[in-house]
Amino acid sequence: MIHPTRRNVLGGMAALALARPARAATDAAPILRAEPGRVRLAPEGYPETDIWGYGGTAPGAGIRARQGDRITRLFENAIPRDSSVHWHGIRLPNAMDGVPGMTQPPVPEGGTFLYDFALPDAGTFWYHPHLNSLEQVGRGLTAPLIVDEAEPPEVDADLTLMLNDWRLDAEARIAEGWDDLHDRAHAGRIGNYMTVNGRPVDSHAADAGARLRLRIINAATDRIVMLGTFGLRAHLVALDGMPLADVAPVEEVLLGPAQRADLIADVAAEPGERAYLTMLERDGAYEVLRIEVGGRAGAALRPAPAPLPPNPVVEPVTEGARGVELVMAGGAMGRMGEARTADGILRPMGDLAQRGLVWSMNGIAGMAGEPLTEIARGETLRIRMVNDTAWPHAMHLHGHHFREVTEAGPGPLRDTLLMLPDERREIAFAADNPGDWMVHCHMLSHQAGGMMSWVRVLG
Ligand code: C2O
Ligand code: CU
């Protein structure tokens, strides 16, 4: 069986240009700039689109590093809004978490902020602003952050697939309407044009029998995606950057906003055929990744991949652990009659809606002045999440990965949990990272509409 040469593989990666950062970040930190850009998003025949992106592209070029490395970047804000960088899923010191008003001041247009932190975990992560996130992510400010294992599994190609969901008008301009209350109270700002690495489809060549690592990142503001494989024999090896202890074959992967999945996929299609990763929609399957299969017929597939080496995450101990409840309410067809705003005032629904608030968590709409709870460093916190709404929510915790607590035992380590309407689920995590950490819905329209809170891990 012939595998793509290293040169081919690197050629295939060029689109993403995930360059390893310079070894010594001691002198001047490399610059990470959020800036306006103009890119071809829509098919030929349409105009190019004005976006905001890291380095002026959408998604941004991304950062690639090795587990244990430090990331040092001088963030420069060149967009006409206050901004920040949140390193989604990275277990970093609180001051580097990029949450304006909580961990750092907002970075104004023309301002800078130095991010400098170590990478404890290998895996597939990403970064995005954490202020006015719906508009800033919706205009393109997203990029992959890929952290390689000390000894990465052997694959013929390592492909990052960042999915973005755009709402474009007939001239391929990004539609305004970021405050739209209808979006906020329903499934969020669902776009009308999806891209993968900024293009309608990503395509690569690989031989029959070749082994691909696919790092899929759902960077959509609000859309849940269901992915399907065709002509690939895929195994799910990591979720939200964290390796799974048990590697299982999969044909479909469901990703809520901000969630990631790593697949190790062997090309099972024959030479001359195509293999695909697709997005499964009600009206059919849309290509995300197209593999033009070459090589020799009848290539044998390799044995199932071994699990990736685990990351050094402290396990939660649920026995006797403190528990808190997090009740989500509101949204269209919801039962939220009133809620408190950050100032502590109880307000009726109409008053809240005028402020753009249509959701609450534990009776509070918008960022609460008080944390959901405080927890001593080293203890385990259990959060019982009650989705008392008619909508799904992608619940994200900063600074830690958690496990779901289920009757069948602990779930995989994750940083974002997709909850369906009326579900009740419980998560637990070892609170080993001191600071104030947000817990919020990663459907960014819902977050803007009030679904956010925080926990304090005492130092
Ligand atoms: Cu991906 Cu609070 O963020
Ligand atoms: Cu939500």
Side-chain angles (χ1 to χ4, degrees), residues 244 315 402-406 408-414 426:
L244 299 172
E315 287 297 328
F402 53 79
R403 288 191 192 272
E404 188 172 355
V405 182
T406 75
L413 283 168
R414 298 209 74 145
E426 181 171 335

Side-chain angles (χ1 to χ4, degrees), residues 54-102:
Y54 294 111
T57 67
I63 297 176
R64 188 149 198 154
R66 193 170 284 269
Q67 187 170 19
D69 279 358
R70 284 191 86 77
I71 293 277
T72 308
R73 287 292 184 284
L74 183 66
F75 170 62
E76 279 187 8
N77 184 14
I79 61 162
R81 299 281 188 283
D82 288 0
S83 194
S84 72
V85 184
H86 171 61
W87 309 88
H88 185 113
I90 304 291
R91 301 184 301 122
L92 40 58
N94 195 239
M96 296 289 113
D97 199 40
V99 180
M102 177 160 270

Side-chain angles (χ1 to χ4, degrees), residues 183-201:
D183 285 345
R184 278 189 192 189
H186 292 77
R189 181 181 161 103
I190 303 297
N192 52 5
Y193 190 67
M194 292 279 304
T195 56
V196 50
N197 301 336
R199 301 295 305 143
V201 233

Side-chain angles (χ1 to χ4, degrees), residues 31-35 54 74-79 107-108 110-113:
I31 286 167
L32 174 62
R33 188 182 292 115
E35 58 191 322
Y54 294 111
L74 183 66
F75 170 62
E76 279 187 8
N77 184 14
I79 61 162
V107 183
T112 61
F113 188 90

Side-chain angles (χ1 to χ4, degrees), residues 121-133:
D121 303 315
T124 300
F125 303 96
W126 65 298
Y127 56 96
H128 61 79
H130 216 290
L131 189 63
N132 177 231
S133 315

Side-chain angles (χ1 to χ4, degrees), residues 86-89 99 126 128-130 258 396 398 416 438 440 442 444 447:
H86 171 61
W87 309 88
H88 185 113
V99 180
W126 65 298
H128 61 79
H130 216 290
H396 172 49
H398 284 211
T416 306
M438 280 192 78
H440 65 89
H442 219 293
L444 300 176
Q447 185 188 5

